[in-house]
């Protein structure tokens, strides 16, 4: 009996020690991932490390007792599961951060479009068609696409040039050409004149052309002042694709003074695009068709040659998913209103608790609020302020993997993963509230011809440069380390009524 008892005790010890060893290995692995992820302050990392090692030590000691060894084994087994899951989620989080950061290229989608009732179902079926193309607009991308198509077909294309997008599309409708080659980013602009264009046509071929963008600066974003261009694109697809930018916000951030200035520039601002429009003017929203770098350079020139260091591009589906992953946000509204389209969301004047869909409709609606496009710009700022407030709250750490999953594929930035992590880490070390100030450039309503769509005049907003120059001065205040107050918002020059 004594021999059997000794064998059982030895077996019990071996099982307990094996579990304790596995727990120790997983503890080390988990702490390694904590260090690699680098989102927590040194204090938090030390606390987590001490707690995990104490639990391991207690579990180990219980294996040499007669009464507590079973409980120790249960605790050890549970800890192994927790540590394994924690390591997996941190590995996944690190991968998701890498996916959205350090973007170094942009994509133009050049498409071949025919009428929806056309018999052709593939590019080969349309080999003998006449293709309408732009004579000069975005011609380099068009020529690249034509070259790829000709290589694919093994024959030359029969093309006909048009001076503007309006006449090119009309030629397709009239049967003057059987197909057109166009930048997919122009679709929503075309639909301003041909509102059933998407239903009336179909795409035979989709050609992606990648172009490198300028490398981002290496700035210590936890200490030095920097700017981020926030671009909301008007599609629900691939975030890398060039598209109109319907949200154009410059965030000027001073991490030392905890100041954030959000500057909205109306999407229809009538400006030149450096190195693109050759002195002609266009809507700011169309700059996105030529790439995020074009939008950044346009805004840099508009605001007196400021430097925009980084960008964040978000598509509309991304906003909804991110806010839902945050479990909603609190958003201020200047007015009580109901959206003009289904599902007819209703908002109260003051603070509103919103889910993703409610916040997205709030930021997009310009027909249900006084001020139209001007108010929509303010509402977009309110949504971003709500997201910043929620992101800075400790509660967001409990579902950060859900947030990162929502962000992946919907958000693109040229911030490095190290910079993004350092921003999160700095917030865990210093939870002092950020002082957020919002300003919006203004202008006068007009109609004029645009570089990207010259067939007819479009609605534009002619800049009020008094508001632009005032914003330049407030941006400089942030860089100079000054604390912004309500007066900086209240002293904004007023644009005369149209």
């Amino acid at each position: 009996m004594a021999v059997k008892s000794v064998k059982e005790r030895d077996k019990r010890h071996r099982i307990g020690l094996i579990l304790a060893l596995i727990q120790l290995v997983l503890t080390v692995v988990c702490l390694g991932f904590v260090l690699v992820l680098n989102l927590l302050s040194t204090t938090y990392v030390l606390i987590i490390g001490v707690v995990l090692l104490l639990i391991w030590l207690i579990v180990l000691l219980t294996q040499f007792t007669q009464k507590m060894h079973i409980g120790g084994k249960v605790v050890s087994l549970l800890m192994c599961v927790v540590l394994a899951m924690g390591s997996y989620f941190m590995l996944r989080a690190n991968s998701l951060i890498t996916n959205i950061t350090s973007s170094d290229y942009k994509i133009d989608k050049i498409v071949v479009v025919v009428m929806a009732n056309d018999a052709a179902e593939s590019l080969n079926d349309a080999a003998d068609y006449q293709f309408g193309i732009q004579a000069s607009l975005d011609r380099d991308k068009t020529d690249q696409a034509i070259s790829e198509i000709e290589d694919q077909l093994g024959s030359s294309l029969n093309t006909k040039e048009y001076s503007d997008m309006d006449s090119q599309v009309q030629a397709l409708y009239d049967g003057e050409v059987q197909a057109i080659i166009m930048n997919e980013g122009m679709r929503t602009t075309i639909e301003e004149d041909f509102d059933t264009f998407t239903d009336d046509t179909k795409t035979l071929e989709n050609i992606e052309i990648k172009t490198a963008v300028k490398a981002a600066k290496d700035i210590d974003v936890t200490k030095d002042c920097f700017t981020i261009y926030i671009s909301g694109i008007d599609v629900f697809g691939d975030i890398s694709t060039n598209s109109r930018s319907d949200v154009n916000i410059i965030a000027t951030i001073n991490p030392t003074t905890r100041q954030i200035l959000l500057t909205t520039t109306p999407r229809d601002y009538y400006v030149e695009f450096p190195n693109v429009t050759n002195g002609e003017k266009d809507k700011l929203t169309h700059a996105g068709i030529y790439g995020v770098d074009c939008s950044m350079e346009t805004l840099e020139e508009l605001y007196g040659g400021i430097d925009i260091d980084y960008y964040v591009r978000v598509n509309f589906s991304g906003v909804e998913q991110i806010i839902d992953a945050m479990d909603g946000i609190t958003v201020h509204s200047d007015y009580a209103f109901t959206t003009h389209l289904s599902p007819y969301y209703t908002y109260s004047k003051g603070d509103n608790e919103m889910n993703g869909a409610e916040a997205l409709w709030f930021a997009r609606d310009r027909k249900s609020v006084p001020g139209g496009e001007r108010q929509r710009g303010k509402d977009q700022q309110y949504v971003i302020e709500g997201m910043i407030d929620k992101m800075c709250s400790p509660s967001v750490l409990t579902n950060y993997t859900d947030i990162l999953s929502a962000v992946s594929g919907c958000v693109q930035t040229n911030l490095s993963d190290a910079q993004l992590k350092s921003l999160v880490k700095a917030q865990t070390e210093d939870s002092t509230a950020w002082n957020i100030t919002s300003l919006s450039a203004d202008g006068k309503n007009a109609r004029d011809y645009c570089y990207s769509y010259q067939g007819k005049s479009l609605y534009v907003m002619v800049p009020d440069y008094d508001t632009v120059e005032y914003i330049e001065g407030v941006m400089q205040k942030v860089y100079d380390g000054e604390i912004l107050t309500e007066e900086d918002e209240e002293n904004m020059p007023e644009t005369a009524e149209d």
Side-chain angles (χ1 to χ4, degrees), residues 106-112 138 141 145 181-186 205-210 235 237-243 289:
K106 57 186 178 181
I107 295 176
D108 285 278
K109 284 188 177 180
I110 307 300
V111 293
V112 178
D138 218 13
K141 304 293 191 309
I181 298 174
M182 53 171 269
N183 192 318
E184 177 65 21
M186 290 298 300
E205 187 72 10
N206 194 329
I207 299 168
E208 291 191 353
I209 299 174
K210 285 188 176 182
V235 295
D238 186 348
I239 187 64
S240 298
T241 306
N242 288 338
S243 177
I289 298 170

Side-chain angles (χ1 to χ4, degrees), residues 182-363:
M182 53 171 269
N183 192 318
E184 177 65 21
M186 290 298 300
R187 182 177 294 272
T188 47
T189 302
I190 292 170
E191 289 173 343
E192 292 180 12
D193 264 345
F194 300 86
D195 55 353
T196 60
F197 178 74
T198 295
D199 293 332
D200 295 340
T201 61
K202 62 184 178 182
T203 299
L204 293 185
E205 187 72 10
N206 194 329
I207 299 168
E208 291 191 353
I209 299 174
K210 285 188 176 182
T211 308
V213 295
K214 183 172 65 176
K217 299 175 182 178
D218 185 15
I219 295 174
D220 185 345
V221 292
T222 64
K223 296 178 181 178
D224 300 328
C225 195
F226 62 98
T227 57
I228 299 178
Y229 167 53
I230 302 171
S231 171
I233 62 175
D234 67 348
V235 295
F236 285 81
D238 186 348
I239 187 64
S240 298
T241 306
N242 288 338
S243 177
R244 295 195 316 179
S245 182
D246 278 357
V247 177
N248 299 278
I249 295 177
I250 301 171
T252 310
I253 303 169
N254 190 321
T256 303
T257 59
R258 311 291 281 183
Q259 304 293 301
I260 297 177
L261 172 64
L262 299 177
T263 300
T264 292
T265 308
R267 66 187 292 279
D268 296 310
Y269 238 35
Y270 198 47
V271 291
E272 296 179 21
F273 303 164
N275 306 313
V276 174
T277 59
N278 302 315
E280 294 185 51
K281 292 186 177 182
D282 204 337
K283 294 185 180 192
L284 175 60
T285 183
H286 290 163
I289 298 170
Y290 306 100
V292 67
D293 48 347
C294 180
S295 297
M296 293 168 70
E297 289 168 4
T298 300
L299 289 168
E300 285 176 339
E301 186 166 290
L302 175 65
Y303 290 103
I306 62 165
D307 288 330
I308 299 179
D309 305 304
Y310 306 104
Y311 68 81
V312 175
R313 298 178 78 230
V314 185
N315 64 19
F316 286 143
S317 57
V319 172
E320 184 173 345
Q321 292 172 21
I322 293 166
I323 292 173
D324 282 340
M326 292 179 179
D327 294 329
I329 59 175
T330 302
V331 182
H332 174 80
S333 177
D334 290 333
Y335 303 97
F337 69 96
T338 300
T339 54
H340 70 287
L341 294 174
S342 176
Y344 304 111
Y345 290 116
T346 298
Y347 308 96
S348 303
K349 183 177 181 179
D351 289 344
N352 294 258
E353 298 299 322
M354 299 185 190
N355 62 27
E358 290 166 340
L360 179 59
W361 274 92
F362 179 82

Side-chain angles (χ1 to χ4, degrees), residues 363-424:
R364 295 188 70 182
D365 197 334
R366 59 186 171 87
K367 296 184 178 181
S368 305
V369 289
E373 186 63 45
R374 293 174 176 85
Q375 186 60 41
R376 178 163 73 166
K378 291 182 181 179
D379 291 343
Q380 290 166 355
Q381 289 177 331
Y382 291 146
V383 169
I384 291 176
E385 287 179 25
M387 293 175 71
I388 292 173
D389 286 341
K390 192 62 176 280
M391 286 297 294
C392 290
S393 66
S395 63
V396 81
L397 292 175
T398 61
N399 57 345
Y400 73 94
T401 53
D402 292 336
I403 295 172
L404 287 173
S405 294
V407 166
S408 183
C410 301
V411 175
Q412 182 185 56
T413 181
N414 62 343
L415 282 160
S416 70
D417 57 352
Q419 288 172 318
L420 192 58
K421 289 174 182 178
S422 68
L423 284 171
V424 176

Side-chain angles (χ1 to χ4, degrees), residues 87-144:
S87 298
Y88 165 76
F89 282 120
M90 283 186 283
L91 178 63
R92 184 163 167 256
N94 194 60
S95 175
L96 290 170
I97 289 173
T98 302
N99 285 342
I100 67 173
T101 57
S102 304
S103 175
D104 56 1
Y105 66 87
K106 57 186 178 181
I107 295 176
D108 285 278
K109 284 188 177 180
I110 307 300
V111 293
V112 178
V113 176
V114 298
M115 297 304 293
N117 58 3
D118 193 287
E121 294 296 335
S122 68
L123 197 56
N124 287 329
D125 296 335
D128 296 329
Y129 285 4
Q130 187 169 40
F131 293 78
I133 63 172
Q134 287 290 299
S136 57
L137 179 65
D138 218 13
R139 186 55 187 266
D140 58 334
K141 304 293 191 309
T142 300
D143 287 343
Q144 282 183 256

